[in-house]
Amino acid sequence: MNIQRVGVVGAGTMGNGIAHVFARGGHGVVLCDVEQRFLDRGMETIGKNLDREVVKNKISVEDKAAALKRIEPVVDRAKLAGCDFVVEAATEKFDIKAEIFRDLDRHCRPEIILASNTSSISITKIAALTKRPDKVIGMHFFNPVPVMKLVEVIRGLATSNDTFQTVRELAVKVEKMPVEVNDAPGFVSNRVLMPLLNEAMYAVMEGVATAEAVDEVFKLGMAHPMGPLTLADFIGLDVCLDIMRVLQDGLGDPKYRPCPLLIKMVDAGWLGRKSGRGFYKY
């Protein structure tokens, strides 16, 4: 399939990063969100991130202008009907994604592949909501999307080989490294990462060490570029909680129980970097 025009649903951190990558790679992009202010914020972020690439001599000023020109921000999801491929990058909640996929299934041509950037939710379950389960797949990018090379390509139970190969090749075209993963709660990345972050939170809650000390242990002793609690703040504590609950529900093992301190912080609106306060103040 010749994919020229890509739809991206969601203009937040992940969605605008995905739009950036596809536009920079020469694709036309229809960037869709529910309100114009979200689109404006997303386009502003894309512009700033392209500026960083200009400063680092990764692209030219002309490349930046061309990439921005390729992106069409829209609030009407029906305008995704002309896209050759659509990737959803909405909030990590099944009910929200379910509504989006049902709608995309109605609007998009039957042969179009629908991908989800979900970091933990079942692709099989999402695909079953559509009339094209063989054409539904996971395409999990990592934050910051323009920088991080990895894309987890997740096969649902019904995902066809043709769909997988098309998405794998598309990832390579936009200079990403696709890694094949089968459908399971949290896939590989968050199945392993989130329990680590969660356990670091328990260490703080139980008074084993401060957040700063936990992070220093991992930076100095394990050569991690940032500590687990700094990373949790960067990801968003609400996102961490959502993923832990997906792991707990999907795997049924008490070891995936979200740390009570995490739940309390999210209830308080301490969501990490994006809210100005999490395990650290920003």
Side-chain angles (χ1 to χ4, degrees), residues 8-23:
V8 179
V9 181
T13 300
M14 298 306 293
N16 70 58
I18 294 167
H20 173 144
V21 165
F22 278 113

Side-chain angles (χ1 to χ4, degrees), residues 171-243:
V172 171
K173 283 180 183 176
V174 293
E175 300 180 348
K176 298 300 181 186
M177 294 293 293
V179 174
E180 180 179 358
V181 178
N182 288 320
D183 193 17
F187 315 129
V188 170
S189 55
N190 284 323
R191 171 87 173 258
V192 176
L193 174 64
M194 284 300 158
L196 167 64
L197 305 191
N198 199 52
E199 197 62 29
M201 295 170 195
Y202 270 110
V204 173
M205 185 185 78
E206 294 170 2
V208 177
T210 64
E212 292 82 359
V214 170
D215 280 351
E216 284 301 297
V217 167
F218 277 84
K219 287 192 290 182
L220 300 177
M222 288 79 170
H224 288 200
M226 67 174 74
L229 300 172
T230 300
L231 178 57
D233 274 357
F234 181 72
I235 292 168
L237 299 186
D238 53 337
V239 176
C240 293
L241 179 56
D242 286 342
I243 295 171

